[in-house]
Amino acid sequence: MKGLKLSFLLILVTAGLFAQQVLQLPSEIQNAYTKGTRNLNGKPGSSYWQNTADYEIKASFDPGTRLLKGNIEIDYVNNSPDTLKQIWFKLYPNLYKKGVARKAKINERDLGDGLQISTFKIGSQMISAKARVIAGTNMSVAIAPMAPGKSVKVNISYSYVLNKGSHVRTGQVDEGSYFIAYFFPRIAVYDDIDGWNKYPYSGDEEFYNDFCVFKAELTVPKDYVVWATGDLLNATHVFQKEIVDRIQLAESSDEVVDVITKEDLENKNVTKGKQLNTWKFEANHVTDFVFAISDHYLWKSSSLVVDSATLRRTRVDAAFHPDHKDYYEVISFARKTVHAMSHTFPKWPFPYSHETIFDGLDQMEYPMMVNDNPVNKREDAITLTVHEIFHTMFPFYMGTNETKYAWMDEGWATIGEWLIAPMIDTNLIDLYGVAQTGATSGSKNDSPIITKTTALKGIGIFTSSYPKPGMGYLFIKDYLGDSLFTKALHHYIEQWQGKHPMPYDFFNSMNEGSGKNLNWFWQRWFFEDGVTDLAIAAVDNNEHGYAIKIKNKSAKHLPVDLQLEFSDGTFSKIHKTIGVWESGEDMITIQVLAAKSLKSVILGSSHVPDKDLSDNTFKVK
């Protein structure tokens, strides 16, 4: 900045800090502390446990009829201290079953019979249709008592018809392309907080799954390529040699490799010529398994070093329709996102061997896969790619419960989008949800962030899940500084990756990791509702320059950003973190030491929501 150097002095109206606040604990969290499964310091307790399973999936899909037929064998392990007398299952294809309650809009023509079970066996016991209690997407089955530490084998043969329209995270994309998610019966989470996760899937809620091993054999007709969660084990058996060589090149190259080209598709020179090909995948310690197929998609691929210590690489793929021009750059956006996540924010090595961005009909994340619709604007392609890939860390690596606390993953994807998108395009300023947050703050549906996702209504479904928690993370990052924030966040990740953290685990872990009691902020921002509103109360001339008084008209802690315009046409900026409100007062004074006349003051910045902007500009007389 050219011109006169200015110094700024912040004067707090009162001294002293809040008394060290303690967050009010619900009974189920207090019980977890008592049982020793979780700790007040934010770490898993000495008695922490979680159940898991090995899934072996054999499925075939007929694109002509959209019939998916499968057999699944599950080796389920009861690591809990409880004797289980029933098992709850998730039957997600039943979202499209006639008569099922749902929030998603499904066209009548897409409704069918849902998931059909032909054989069902738990241990040595055959489970008859009468023994299955099915309510929408939930199914419970009584079992012989299963003691702690024991395991049981579950075998289910099933089928259903994949939806052609009403694409809710899964279904036919076009003639010859399909994204197939939630395609098998799976055992629900049984945890130390709620026991069985009985929240039904109605099309709006997202998911909560255990960390499991998936081995899948997927049979589809020739000319169809399969992309999926996990590593492809038999590439030489399903691909032509030229394709295998290109995949191997991409796995070791920083350059973008055209794995499947238009010429390959025209010459039918992609897959083996057998009538049916069986694709074998394996994924370890992940929360879900999905796959996608197409007989006419291009495939661009590249890889990069995600761990500087070990030089481990992650392969990034973009599979897309040749006519979707925005997708030709998606491979670059995806690669830069994985690089930024690994080396800048959250500065944690990307945890998986590959990430595939599939040209679909939704905007939804899965382990190692993304189902993203094409978009018209370049900036939308960037922010969408960043947002969905960032979900790799939250909820997949961290195992959060999206059915109850969407903010524990969507808020992170939002701040990831805000921070990483401008690294890809320096002209891009992403303001996703900021204006809506300010405008609707304090309104009827403006619920506290901590509100369970299932209880959110109206605009609160969006603001309390996406921008508000994203701002909470952003404001704490600003307050702590990059280094200390990264230290605290890494502490949280180290303690809870591969597990099931709940909100209090996050708050307490960040407190311990930073060495600061941040409850004064957590309480106001995450547990309380109300408007977000700052105002310039006064600008007074004094012997030292100018005293600018900022009024916090809300109960929320917000950063203070001022733009100062002087009479000689020069400008300057002042930034103060949320720390200025830590003392509990609602008025601060910022002293500007300046030898020249101040013309105007403007309050506000791009990521600070403000309900009433009429008092954010002050003309100095």
Side-chain angles (χ1 to χ4, degrees):
M1 182 182 67
K2 295 181 180 179
L4 179 68
K5 290 185 178 180
L6 303 174
S7 60
F8 306 107
L9 175 65
L10 173 68
I11 303 175
L12 293 177
V13 174
T14 61
L17 301 177
F18 278 139
Q20 296 297 303
Q21 293 190 6
V22 177
L23 300 176
Q24 186 176 359
L25 299 176
S27 59
E28 65 268 22
I29 301 299
Q30 185 59 63
N31 289 339
Y33 295 153
T34 301
K35 292 184 295 185
T37 57
R38 296 168 195 265
N39 264 322
L40 269 168
N41 62 10
K43 295 179 179 179
S46 58
S47 300
Y48 179 80
W49 56 268
Q50 62 194 55
N51 290 352
T52 190
D54 292 342
Y55 286 76
E56 290 193 10
I57 304 169
K58 294 182 179 179
S60 63
F61 180 70
D62 181 354
T65 62
R66 304 192 314 283
L67 178 65
L68 187 143
K69 298 175 65 177
N71 178 268
I72 184 165
E73 185 173 282
I74 310 170
D75 188 4
Y76 183 65
V77 182
N78 179 21
N79 293 316
S80 81
D82 307 322
T83 296
L84 303 181
K85 298 180 180 179
Q86 60 179 348
I87 295 179
W88 281 68
F89 294 81
K90 297 296 182 180
L91 308 180
Y92 292 128
N94 278 1
L95 179 70
Y96 291 89
K97 184 178 180 179
K98 294 177 181 177
V100 168
R102 64 183 66 84
K103 296 177 183 177
K105 294 181 180 179
I106 305 296
N107 193 295
E108 285 290 329
R109 67 174 180 269
D110 298 318
L111 297 178
D113 298 326
L115 190 139
Q116 300 293 298
I117 296 174
S118 54
T119 61
F120 193 166
K121 189 177 181 181
I122 298 180
S124 59
Q125 179 184 2
M126 295 297 297
I127 308 298
S128 67
K130 291 183 179 180
R132 308 166 202 160
V133 180
I134 298 178
T137 57
N138 283 339
M139 176 176 70
S140 61
V141 176
I143 61 171
M146 184 181 179
K150 298 297 182 180
S151 63
V152 68
K153 286 192 179 295
V154 178
N155 193 288
I156 305 174
S157 294
Y158 66 98
S159 64
Y160 74 95
V161 176
L162 185 72
N163 52 296
K164 184 175 182 178
S166 304
H167 192 109
V168 182
R169 301 168 181 162
T170 184
Q172 181 170 335
V173 177
D174 61 25
E175 292 297 331
S177 302
Y178 308 81
F179 196 96
I180 304 174
Y182 325 129
F183 67 95
F184 56 91
R186 66 175 306 138
I187 297 179
V189 174
Y190 184 83
D191 68 23
D192 63 313
I193 302 296
D194 297 319
W196 290 110
N197 175 31
K198 300 178 182 179
Y199 289 96
Y201 172 52
S202 68
D204 279 2
E205 306 84 3
E206 296 190 17
F207 304 93
Y208 181 37
N209 297 314
D210 278 320
F211 288 86
C212 302
V213 173
F214 294 92
K215 296 180 180 179
E217 296 183 9
L218 308 171
T219 301
V220 297
K222 68 175 182 179
D223 297 330
Y224 278 90
V225 176
V226 180
W227 295 267
T229 301
D231 298 320
L232 178 62
L233 304 180
N234 65 333
T236 58
H237 291 86
V238 293
F239 278 125
Q240 296 289 343
K241 183 179 183 304
E242 293 86 348
I243 305 299
V244 175
D245 291 343
R246 293 172 193 167
I247 295 173
Q248 292 175 345
L249 175 61
E251 289 176 342
S252 61
S253 176
D254 291 336
E255 301 301 318
V256 175
V257 176
D258 290 307
V259 177
I260 297 177
T261 66
K262 292 180 181 179
E263 291 73 24
D264 296 324
L265 295 170
E266 292 169 356
N267 297 329
K268 303 291 185 181
N269 190 37
V270 178
T271 66
K272 294 291 188 178
K274 295 178 291 185
Q275 286 301 113
L276 296 172
N277 286 312
T278 298
W279 303 66
K280 298 181 180 180
F281 293 89
E282 183 172 337
N284 296 312
H285 204 60
V286 296
T287 59
D288 204 354
F289 183 93
V290 302
F291 71 100
I293 71 171
S294 178
D295 64 357
H296 60 275
Y297 270 21
L298 302 179
W299 180 0
K300 290 181 178 289
S301 185
S302 182
S303 66
L304 65 150
V305 173
V306 295
D307 189 333
S308 300
T310 65
L311 300 183
R312 178 173 61 83
R313 301 180 76 90
T314 286
R315 192 187 79 232
V316 181
D317 303 319
F320 58 98
H321 195 291
D323 292 345
H324 294 161
K325 301 306 180 185
D326 64 305
Y327 249 95
Y328 286 82
E329 271 197 286
V330 163
I331 185 66
S332 173
F333 304 155
R335 194 178 188 282
K336 290 175 180 178
T337 298
V338 172
H339 184 275
M341 289 175 63
S342 301
H343 302 292
T344 307
F345 181 79
K347 208 171 184 178
W348 190 274
F350 196 83
Y352 301 122
S353 59
H354 76 83
E355 180 74 15
T356 300
I357 316 303
F358 189 82
D359 181 358
L361 293 176
D362 213 308
Q363 301 181 356
M364 189 63 187
E365 70 281 355
Y366 313 83
M368 305 185 211
M369 294 281 286
V370 167
N371 175 9
D372 274 354
N373 60 284
V375 293
N376 294 322
K377 296 181 179 179
R378 185 174 185 270
E379 55 265 36
D380 291 340
I382 293 172
T383 56
L384 177 58
T385 301
V386 174
H387 185 105
E388 303 306 341
I389 294 179
F390 204 91
H391 276 302
T392 297
M393 292 297 296
F394 311 89
F396 301 131
Y397 194 60
M398 296 299 289
T400 55
N401 185 348
E402 296 176 282
T403 60
K404 288 178 69 176
Y405 306 112
W407 61 269
M408 292 189 74
D409 71 290
E410 296 297 354
W412 284 112
T414 300
I415 184 180
E417 177 184 332
W418 288 339
L419 296 178
I420 294 176
M423 299 180 196
I424 298 174
D425 185 341
T426 55
N427 294 318
L428 196 158
I429 301 176
D430 183 30
L431 303 178
Y432 183 58
V434 179
Q436 294 96 316
T437 299
T440 63
S441 64
S443 64
K444 180 179 67 173
N445 291 323
D446 178 33
S447 303
I449 296 171
I450 199 70
T451 305
K452 291 180 181 178
T453 303
T454 52
L456 295 174
K457 297 180 180 179
I459 190 64
I461 297 172
F462 170 66
T463 56
S464 291
S465 300
Y466 291 80
K468 281 170 62 176
M471 291 170 196
Y473 306 144
L474 189 67
F475 298 164
I476 281 292
K477 180 177 182 291
D478 181 43
Y479 170 74
L480 294 176
D482 288 349
S483 179
L484 185 55
F485 178 82
T486 300
K487 177 184 175 184
L489 180 57
H490 284 192
H491 177 73
Y492 170 53
I493 295 172
E494 287 163 358
Q495 297 302 318
W496 286 101
Q497 61 92 7
K499 300 181 178 68
H500 293 313
M502 298 298 169
Y504 293 87
D505 303 316
F506 165 69
F507 298 134
N508 294 331
S509 187
M510 290 293 288
N511 287 355
E512 181 174 84
S514 66
K516 293 179 177 292
N517 187 323
L518 302 170
N519 290 347
W520 60 274
F521 178 75
W522 304 137
Q523 177 65 39
R524 292 287 186 93
W525 193 262
F526 286 83
F527 288 80
E528 298 176 9
D529 56 12
V531 299
T532 55
D533 195 10
L534 297 179
I536 303 175
V539 178
D540 298 323
N541 190 299
N542 57 37
E543 59 182 333
H544 302 293
Y546 296 90
I548 305 174
K549 294 183 179 180
I550 306 299
K551 171 75 172 177
N552 191 340
K553 297 164 60 180
S554 68
K556 301 290 189 184
H557 302 302
L558 299 167
V560 176
D561 289 274
L562 300 176
Q563 178 177 284
L564 311 180
E565 181 184 4
F566 294 92
S567 56
D568 63 357
T570 59
F571 294 86
S572 187
K573 293 183 178 181
I574 300 174
H575 172 71
K576 299 298 177 183
T577 76
I578 55 172
V580 298
W581 310 110
E582 192 171 350
S583 65
E585 295 299 320
D586 62 2
M587 181 83 78
I588 60 171
T589 299
I590 298 175
Q591 180 68 49
V592 178
L593 305 181
K596 53 185 178 178
S597 298
L598 185 60
K599 183 178 179 181
S600 68
V601 180
I602 299 176
L603 168 67
S605 66
S606 59
H607 289 93
V608 177
D610 199 306
K611 190 176 184 70
D612 180 9
L613 298 176
S614 66
D615 47 18
N616 286 37
T617 300
F618 195 99
K619 299 293 184 180
V620 182
K621 297 179 180 180

